[in-house]
Amino acid sequence: MIKSAFIFLGSREGDKVNMVLTGTKDLISSGFNASDIIKKAAEKVDGSGGGRPDFAQAGGKDPSKIKSVFEFIEKTAMRIIGSA
């Protein structure tokens, strides 16, 4: 069983980017907010998103910038892991 985790999935389909993000309850209780994170990720691909602290989704219009989303998510993961 996984104690602490967040899961990000991102895909490119044609000229669109789709993303989802979720996190475990212990991360949420320590300040993790999937909605806030996904909104920032979506801005990087000219998109928008939102949801709840435990689950959020987003879309974008510029798949050429998807690498910057994964870099942002990686940095965010390292920050979260470092503070856990």
Side-chain angles (χ1 to χ4, degrees), residues 16-80:
K16 306 249 187 227
V17 175
N18 297 298
M19 301 172 274
V20 294
L21 178 65
T22 189
T24 53
K25 290 181 183 183
D26 65 307
L27 291 180
I28 294 161
S29 66
S30 66
F32 173 89
N33 188 314
S35 183
D36 292 345
I37 295 169
I38 206 87
K39 285 177 186 176
K40 291 176 184 173
E43 289 174 1
K44 299 187 178 308
V45 288
D46 300 329
S48 62
R52 304 180 313 260
D54 64 327
F55 180 83
Q57 57 188 8
K61 302 174 199 163
D62 189 350
S64 71
K65 298 178 183 175
I66 198 166
K67 183 177 179 185
S68 67
V69 171
F70 284 97
E71 290 169 350
F72 168 75
I73 293 297
E74 181 180 18
K75 287 178 186 174
T76 300
M78 297 309 290
R79 182 177 42 83
I80 290 169

